Amino acid sequence: FAMSSAGSVYSNYRNGGVWQGWKVLSDALPAPLFKSDAGVFPPANGTVTPSKPLSQCQHGWQLVFTGYNDSTSTPRDLYTQTFNIPKQSYKAANWNGESMTIPLAYQYVNESDETRFCQKTFAVYDDHLVAGSTTNVGKQRNMVLRAIYEY
């Protein structure tokens, strides 16, 4: 048996002299590395800093977005979407400002109830994100960052 620093419990056993691999017996709820009940869409060049760098995560960061009602300045618990940023960049090294565009869908309530899209653009660093120039402008404000988890 083993216990992680987060409180999850794992087991492993030998069968015929061969270890069978670690299996989760009890998984602790993950604590967010960043959380905002109000949600954020940082202004151009604004930063979001999770409490743990990508290089120290098991696999990377998972960003959680939800809808946002700009006319009432409140987040909406609708259209929840996640986006994973892997631990290493496509260059097989720590992230160092590489650009990442995140497409997000939301429902637009009108006569046709059509699905619309917005995008968030970030420069990704090992320990923070820097928002692109249009992340908080126009229809990009229909989705908001609510949390970042380790995955």
Side-chain angles (χ1 to χ4, degrees):
F1 293 95
M3 182 177 280
S4 74
S5 60
S8 297
V9 178
Y10 301 85
S11 72
N12 195 353
Y13 67 95
R14 290 172 57 159
N15 185 357
V18 177
W19 286 103
Q20 299 303 300
W22 292 102
K23 305 288 186 234
V24 176
L25 295 178
S26 173
D27 204 5
L29 292 176
L33 305 176
F34 167 85
K35 185 176 181 194
S36 173
D37 290 332
V40 296
F41 25 68
N45 299 317
T47 63
V48 175
T49 306
S51 61
K52 189 174 188 178
L54 271 165
S55 60
Q56 294 177 16
C57 292
Q58 184 171 358
H59 300 288
W61 289 332
Q62 182 177 67
L63 282 58
V64 180
F65 294 90
T66 67
Y68 189 79
N69 185 332
D70 210 25
S71 62
T72 62
S73 299
T74 56
R76 301 177 71 203
D77 293 331
L78 298 169
Y79 322 124
T80 301
Q81 294 165 70
T82 61
F83 190 87
N84 293 341
I85 299 177
K87 182 175 183 170
Q88 290 188 324
S89 80
Y90 56 89
K91 296 178 180 179
N94 287 347
W95 290 88
N96 192 24
E98 289 85 0
S99 179
M100 178 167 287
T101 300
I102 302 169
L104 300 165
Y106 61 94
Q107 187 77 25
Y108 187 73
V109 180
N110 63 9
E111 302 81 41
S112 64
D113 289 332
E114 63 188 85
T115 299
R116 293 193 176 176
F117 298 90
C118 68
Q119 66 184 23
K120 303 293 184 182
T121 303
F122 293 98
V124 181
Y125 293 86
D126 183 50
D127 61 349
H128 67 284
L129 301 169
V130 177
S133 61
T134 61
T135 298
N136 72 334
V137 177
K139 68 179 181 178
Q140 311 323 328
R141 293 180 63 87
N142 286 316
M143 296 295 288
V144 66
L145 179 64
R146 298 288 293 274
I148 299 175
Y149 289 90
E150 177 179 0
Y151 79 95

